[in-house]
């Protein structure tokens, strides 16, 4: 006969949950995205296996330094990847284990080389869009015409699209900031037609007993009916219902970002563009073309949501005006 304690959760029996369950619990209490949860848990697993499955509470600065240095030397990871691993481990020690971590002076840091962003010429953008269709064309239009990041686009909610004032509100963008950017006039009507189609789909979902969308816990508690309301739905929902891995609820999430990435890859190839262009290239092109059209860099900074104008300054290095107005001796 199975004992009752075997069917109870760790919290009910008084047992301490396993480390990774503690990590997930803290991440969810802090309302981090499921993507962040998966990434942090993966890095913590790699850290534990690197040190022969020792418990992190038995390790500290020396072991963190060894792991991060190994990533740089043997793993030859990018600077952003090493920083991601560091963020995951700092979260583990500070937020989960409540352990103070001192200076990590001995870490061999990956040097971040200065890169000039890939930018498409206006003619190349026209050729590219000739090979994009339907929802992918609409999404790409917001990346290029509004300067959205890929995940900002796929996470866009109906309430944040203002067709009257032709503007988009980006909520909780990079760095947790909100910002307002323009909605391209040429895409207003197609987007309106798209929303009408999506609204009909949402109404059908409601009739079928579904129709709720993911909301942060605090919002769901404050507005218990909001998850089923039209204004909170994703502008670009998934074509199919799926099970939410956190709650087990079957609902319609936003479209997979990989669908646009794949469509972009095919369109770049079909258009004959000889540049390593990606979805983010459209955002780079948005900024560069605004500067070419005479808009000041502070305006572009606000539209992009950059914290510091020095980040936006990189686009002055790729303007189509050679030398930014300085003539070459050869000319």
């Amino acid at each position: 006969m199975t004992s009752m304690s075997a069917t109870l959760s760790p919290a009910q029996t008084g047992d301490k949950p396993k480390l990774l369950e503690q990590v997930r619990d803290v991440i969810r209490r802090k309302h981090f995205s499921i993507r962040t949860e998966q990434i942090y848990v993966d890095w913590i697993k790699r850290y534990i296996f690197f040190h022969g499955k020792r418990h992190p509470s038995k390790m500290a600065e020396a072991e963190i330094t060894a792991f991060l240095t190994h990533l740089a030397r043997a793993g030859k990871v990018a600077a952003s990847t090493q920083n991601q691993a560091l963020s995951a481990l700092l979260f583990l020690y500070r937020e989960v284990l409540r352990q103070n971590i001192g200076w990590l002076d001995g870490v061999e840091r990956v040097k971040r080389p200065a890169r000039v962003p890939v930018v498409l010429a206006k003619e190349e953008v026209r050729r590219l869009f000739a090979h994009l269709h339907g929802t992918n064309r609409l999404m790409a239009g917001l990346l290029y015409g509004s300067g959205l990041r890929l995940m900002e686009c796929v996470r866009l909610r109906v309430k944040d699209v203002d067709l009257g004032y032709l503007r988009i509100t980006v909520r909780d963008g990079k760095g947790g900031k909100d910002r307002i950017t323009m909605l391209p006039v040429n895409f207003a009507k197609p987007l309106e037609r798209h929303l009408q189609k999506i609204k009909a789909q949402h109404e059908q979902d409601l009739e079928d007993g579904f129709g709720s969308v993911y909301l942060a816990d605090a919002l769901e508690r404050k507005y218990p009916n909001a998850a089923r309301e039209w204004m909170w739905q994703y502008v670009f929902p998934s074509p199919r219902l799926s099970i939410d891995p956190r709650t087990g609820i079957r609902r319609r999430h936003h479209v997979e970002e990989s669908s646009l990435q794949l469509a972009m890859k095919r369109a770049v190839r079909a258009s004959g563009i000889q540049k390593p262009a990606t979805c983010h290239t459209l955002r780079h092109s948005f900024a560069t073309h605004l500067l070419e059209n005479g808009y000041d860099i502070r305006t572009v900074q606000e539209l992009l949501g950059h914290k510091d104008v020095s980040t936006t300054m990189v686009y002055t290095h790729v303007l189509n005006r050679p030398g930014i107005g300085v003539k070459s001796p050869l000319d």
Side-chain angles (χ1 to χ4, degrees), residues 2-223:
T2 305
S3 67
M4 185 180 291
S5 62
T7 63
L8 297 177
S9 68
Q12 290 171 310
T13 60
D15 296 337
K16 194 173 183 180
K18 292 181 179 179
L19 178 67
L20 294 181
E21 288 305 314
Q22 293 178 55
V23 172
R24 291 188 181 97
D25 185 50
V26 176
I27 286 174
R28 292 174 190 185
R29 284 207 309 269
K30 290 183 174 291
H31 310 302
F32 289 5
S33 71
I34 192 163
R35 180 186 300 269
T36 302
E37 178 182 321
Q38 291 164 345
I39 290 169
Y40 276 22
V41 167
D42 183 58
W43 277 119
I44 292 166
K45 281 181 182 176
R46 289 177 65 176
Y47 171 65
I48 293 169
F49 276 94
F50 177 77
H51 287 294
K53 298 186 180 180
R54 289 170 62 196
H55 197 282
S57 62
K58 307 296 182 186
M59 301 186 280
E61 290 90 343
E63 287 79 10
I64 296 173
T65 298
F67 177 65
L68 296 175
T69 300
H70 168 78
L71 291 178
R73 286 182 185 169
K76 300 188 184 302
V77 299
S80 58
T81 304
Q82 190 187 42
N83 288 337
Q84 190 183 75
L86 174 60
S87 296
L89 296 181
L90 290 179
F91 180 87
L92 169 67
Y93 279 96
R94 291 173 180 171
E95 304 295 337
V96 181
L97 298 176
R98 299 292 181 183
Q99 237 175 273
N100 286 326
I101 294 297
W103 293 104
L104 300 171
D105 293 330
V107 175
E108 184 176 312
R109 302 305 294 263
V110 179
K111 291 183 173 61
R112 186 189 298 270
R115 302 285 189 197
V116 175
V118 176
V119 172
L120 299 177
K122 292 174 184 177
E123 176 55 32
E124 289 174 322
V125 172
R126 281 191 284 272
R127 282 160 49 197
L128 179 72
F129 273 84
H131 295 278
L132 289 168
H133 309 284
T135 302
N136 287 324
R137 181 182 171 86
L138 263 181
M139 293 174 71
L142 295 184
L143 268 56
Y144 173 63
S146 304
L148 300 187
R149 297 177 177 92
L150 175 57
M151 293 311 299
E152 291 172 347
C153 181
V154 300
R155 289 172 177 162
L156 203 59
R157 309 266 183 168
V158 171
K159 68 183 182 63
D160 296 321
V161 176
D162 190 335
L163 291 167
Y165 281 101
L166 293 176
R167 64 185 187 183
I168 291 172
T169 303
V170 179
R171 308 281 182 186
D172 197 26
K174 193 172 181 180
K177 300 187 295 288
D178 293 354
R179 73 179 190 279
I180 292 175
T181 186
M182 76 281 279
L183 171 62
V185 176
N186 289 340
F187 274 73
K189 284 296 180 186
L191 187 56
E192 187 175 15
R193 290 193 295 270
H194 169 80
L195 288 174
Q196 288 169 353
K197 184 174 70 174
I198 294 306
K199 188 174 185 181
Q201 181 187 65
H202 173 59
E203 288 169 351
Q204 184 61 54
D205 283 348
L206 289 173
E207 280 187 32
D208 294 341
F210 302 106
S212 69
V213 72
Y214 165 78
L215 292 178
D217 290 343
L219 270 173
E220 221 159 10
R221 287 194 300 271
K222 190 173 181 180
Y223 307 111

Side-chain angles (χ1 to χ4, degrees), residues 272-292:
I273 295 171
Q274 299 303 308
K275 293 177 182 177
T278 64
C279 291
H280 207 66
T281 302
L282 294 176
R283 178 172 153 91
H284 292 323
S285 304
F286 163 83
T288 305
H289 296 169
L290 282 180
L291 291 171
E292 286 177 1

